[in-house]
Amino acid sequence: MTKIIVVGGGAGGLELATKLGRTLGRKKRAQITLVDRKASHLWKPLLHEVATGSLDEGVDALSYRAHAKNHYFDFQMGSLNNIDRERKVIALSELTDDHGELLMPSRELEYDILVMALGSTSNDFNTPGVRDNCIFLDSPEQAHRFRTEMNNQFLKLHAKNGQGTVDIAIVGAGATGVELSAELHNAVKELRTYGFGDLDSSKLNVNLVEAGERILPALPPRISSAAHSELTKLGVNVRTNTMVTQADSEGLTTKDGDKIPAQIMVWAAGIKAPDFMKDIGGLETNRINQLVVKNTLQTTLDDNIFAIGDLAQCTQADGSFVPPRAQAAHQMASCAFTNIIAKMNGRDLKDYVYKDKGSLVSLSRFSTVGSLMGNLTKGSMMVEGRIARIVYISLYRMHQMALHGLIKTSLMMLVGRINRVLRPNLKLH
């Protein structure tokens, strides 16, 4: 029986393991194993909502072990250590708890086909003080840390009868930085209804810092401009052409020598693949540790190893690289699934072609802006407001559909509407 291992349970990896389990695992045509060092999955684009408390991850998180049981694949909790391509095994490090006690021993797993889908982590570009003083919003743990620190700052302000401000600096005005800036103002608005009557937007001082000429540099200028305008209306201090050279406990220092004071600092300025991926198993990697892949999503030096999502450096026809977006991970998962089936059956593999469906940025409950691409518009169409918000939410529903199917996703949507009545609008603990 063919042994297929998917390492990494992010959007692409989990969707791929689910598809393989439903088709090959169910019919005992292959043994599918998903490996992840965490016990549960949370869609990464939701982390800014978890950070501010507007989303309860306890409701939206998915247990890998339970999902594996329901979709005919195996789940192994562990952290990848090495790939031995000659023996076709991956090595997993031992897992310990907070007290250093052994949870899972180190072990090896055999594979015939290996899919690397580990995703990405924040890239601090070795800026002094960033690793020690900033929060990287790239995992649920970091989101929890942000929420705890944010709530503590608001409590301190409340204890002083609203004297002073809560200063938050966010470095990097991509989707994460922009969405978090807006979500913070929504959090203040909600907190007022939970006994923090002395709080208002004037007590929140958010600096959104971007080294480039405009925010949302990956999106068309008109969308960037619309988002900039909305953020300014909310009271966010948007600082473009501002490079951060250092971070300390007091705040950030810019290239011009300016000081941006902050009690909480978030670094969302770039991504890279995990450091241990550098030349792992003798595979070809780039300067940010991504695995270099061919158009079939197979790694350049080993046809039995695929890479998808943020971990893969995939070149498009125009010479540019596929961007690290959730829609790319979703598309790559589908292509890798087709190619794995083809490889098992001795057929030719298809090239992956990235289809940009557009981009949407949610400015919390205040607005949503973005562009949609498709045959109907013969290019891109700018959307904003309620329509854009509906499309933005539908992206997450598509991810849920890929994991759970139509009936379960419909029930989850119903539960979500019920929870809006039963649960507070903001997670306060």
Side-chain angles (χ1 to χ4, degrees), residues 279-295:
D279 302 323
I280 192 167
L283 295 168
E284 184 185 358
T285 54
N286 64 10
R287 61 183 178 79
I288 57 170
N289 310 323
Q290 290 173 309
L291 290 171
V292 182
V293 298
K294 299 186 283 190
N295 289 338

Side-chain angles (χ1 to χ4, degrees), residues 202-263:
S202 68
K203 304 296 181 186
L204 179 65
N205 180 27
V206 178
N207 278 288
L208 180 61
V209 185
E210 169 59 42
E213 291 181 0
R214 60 187 179 89
I215 68 170
L216 301 170
L219 301 188
R222 56 191 178 145
I223 293 164
S224 167
S225 175
H228 192 136
S229 172
E230 291 289 340
L231 289 176
T232 305
K233 280 184 208 165
L234 288 177
V236 176
N237 185 15
V238 182
R239 303 171 68 133
T240 52
N241 292 310
T242 305
M243 183 175 282
V244 173
T245 54
Q246 189 177 340
D248 56 39
S249 57
E250 310 262 304
L252 304 169
T253 304
T254 70
K255 192 176 181 181
D256 298 332
D258 291 343
K259 190 80 177 176
I260 301 174
Q263 294 125 351

